Amino acid sequence: MIQISRRNILLGSAAAGTGLALSACTSNDPAGTAQVKTDTSGNANAAAGQQVVIGFSAPAADHGWIAAITNNAKAQAKQYADVELRTVEAGTDAAAQRAALATLIAQKPTVIVMLPHDGKELNATGLEAMRAGIPVVNLDRAFPSAAAYRLQIKGDNYGMGLAAGKYIGDQLKAKGVSNPIIGEIPGIDSLELTQERTAGFNAALAVYGFKVANRRPAEFTADSGQAAATALLQALPKMDALWNHDDDQGIGVLAAIKQANRGEFFMVGGAGSKAAIDGITKDDTVLKATVTYSPSMASSAISLARLIGQGKGLSDLVELQVPKEITLASETITKDNASKYAPLGF
């Protein structure tokens, strides 16, 4: 498995080939603010080649990150004259997505890019496509069987926790805080990705001798973030630092903090939304950083699927084929580097 910076994947070889009114500031315009690679000058893989039909399936947008996944995939596909993108509705659960993908497999596209509702439940569908001779690009939510995908591209959930914990640990150490009160607002606690993020966070904090004082899970939505933050703020009358796992639910977290008139602590977000990056730049709330888990991976997945369909590899690598697994590094966005990451906000 290779681990590559998200920025390198997007801009390098791969592209060659509540009380208050809440609204997440996210992109719903595939042609406007989607994260795509457009500058392909000087790259042989960018030249039009064999026609590739890419089937695409992702869950219906229940929050901004998922909406950006689909928008990015559609926008990236439009950058290539030799790509036809066929999208199928994934429905509201794994069963509906399985049915839609069965129809797509019968159409025999060149490659399928799939963000499953649940990797374990859609594993058999990945196997079915691969056995039918259709390479599968498994996007983000991992299939347990390596035979179910040709390429797996995903974010680093454990790495998100490590990045958030390191930033918080460094900041508290610099302030001379030896026994900090640290809060945590994860996403849905039953999900493996949430558990991985928390494990990374705890591991990073342990390096400094710190630990989480209280955590209240949300559900990746603004309303649930507000409810979780309200409960956390009541449980912790004083706090030094807070990690909120998801910038979409962070809209509600910040609303609760404002309503409670709290500001004695600093907060780190998660994912890298446009709203979060803009807020970090303005520096007028407790939000001081966010750690990335970018939906730009969908843009890269389309570029990589195109290369797989054409039998090409990444131009900067010696190997002749696209790698089997790619994990995108989680990066820390602060006021100092926010301008660089602003174009990648979703």
Side-chain angles (χ1 to χ4, degrees):
M1 180 178 71
I2 62 175
Q3 184 171 24
I4 301 178
S5 163
R6 170 176 51 78
R7 186 171 177 82
N8 289 342
I9 278 289
L10 184 61
L11 302 182
S13 302
T18 14
L20 300 179
L22 303 177
S23 61
C25 183
T26 54
S27 170
N28 289 305
D29 178 8
T33 56
Q35 303 148 318
V36 298
K37 172 63 177 173
T38 56
D39 180 9
T40 56
S41 58
N43 198 310
N45 278 343
Q50 174 188 336
Q51 190 71 18
V52 176
V53 177
I54 300 176
F56 178 79
S57 176
D62 58 355
H63 61 288
W65 191 90
I66 288 288
I69 283 284
T70 298
N71 289 346
N72 286 343
K74 291 178 178 179
Q76 189 64 53
K78 290 180 179 179
Q79 302 301 312
Y80 300 115
D82 51 15
V83 168
E84 175 190 344
L85 188 70
R86 295 181 185 172
T87 62
V88 294
E89 296 295 331
T92 58
D93 55 28
Q97 189 173 24
R98 274 195 299 269
L101 283 164
T103 300
L104 183 61
I105 291 170
Q107 296 174 8
K108 297 189 179 300
T110 316
V111 188
I112 290 176
V113 176
M114 184 195 324
L115 194 160
H117 272 285
D118 181 283
K120 293 179 181 178
E121 293 193 41
L122 270 296
N123 187 74
T125 300
L127 288 169
E128 179 186 352
M130 291 288 287
R131 289 167 182 162
I134 305 169
V136 173
V137 176
N138 178 203
L139 180 58
D140 190 46
R141 298 173 185 172
F143 295 139
S145 172
Y149 58 86
R150 164 59 185 82
L151 164 66
Q152 185 178 88
I153 177 169
K154 60 182 181 178
D156 185 357
N157 288 296
Y158 189 85
M160 280 185 76
L162 287 177
K166 183 180 186 305
Y167 178 84
I168 286 174
D170 285 347
Q171 294 298 309
L172 293 173
K173 184 178 179 181
K175 294 178 180 180
V177 181
S178 59
N179 189 27
I181 299 171
I182 300 172
E184 180 185 5
I185 301 179
I188 299 171
D189 240 354
S190 62
L191 296 180
E192 184 177 3
L193 67 87
T194 298
Q195 296 161 14
E196 291 174 353
R197 292 176 184 184
T198 289
F201 189 49
N202 289 338
L205 291 180
V207 172
Y208 303 87
F210 300 158
K211 62 182 180 179
V212 173
N214 202 303
R215 67 192 298 277
R216 299 295 171 105
E219 298 178 356
F220 299 123
T221 63
D223 287 342
S224 68
Q226 185 174 22
T230 298
L232 182 70
L233 293 169
Q234 291 172 348
L236 298 177
K238 180 185 180 300
M239 192 159 45
D240 295 292
L242 168 64
W243 182 35
N244 163 58
H245 287 206
D246 179 78
D247 288 333
D248 281 340
Q249 70 187 27
I251 300 289
V253 172
L254 288 171
I257 292 169
K258 183 176 181 179
Q259 285 182 323
N261 196 27
R262 296 279 294 272
E264 79 280 4
F265 58 91
F266 66 92
M267 184 175 104
V268 177
S273 74
K274 184 179 185 301
I277 296 173
D278 289 347
I280 291 166
T281 301
K282 292 177 182 177
D283 196 19
D284 57 0
T285 71
V286 297
L287 182 63
K288 303 302 178 186
T290 188
V291 291
T292 62
Y293 197 93
S294 177
S296 63
M297 66 177 75
S299 304
S300 297
I302 295 297
S303 294
L304 291 163
R306 171 179 175 267
L307 295 183
I308 290 170
Q310 295 176 342
K312 298 177 181 178
L314 302 182
S315 61
D316 290 346
L317 301 186
V318 175
E319 290 74 22
L320 300 180
Q321 297 293 323
V322 169
K324 173 75 171 179
E325 297 183 4
I326 297 175
T327 300
L328 309 183
S330 184
E331 304 164 51
T332 304
I333 302 175
T334 66
K335 186 177 181 179
D336 292 337
N337 62 11
S339 61
K340 181 175 74 171
Y341 287 95
L344 298 182
F346 62 93

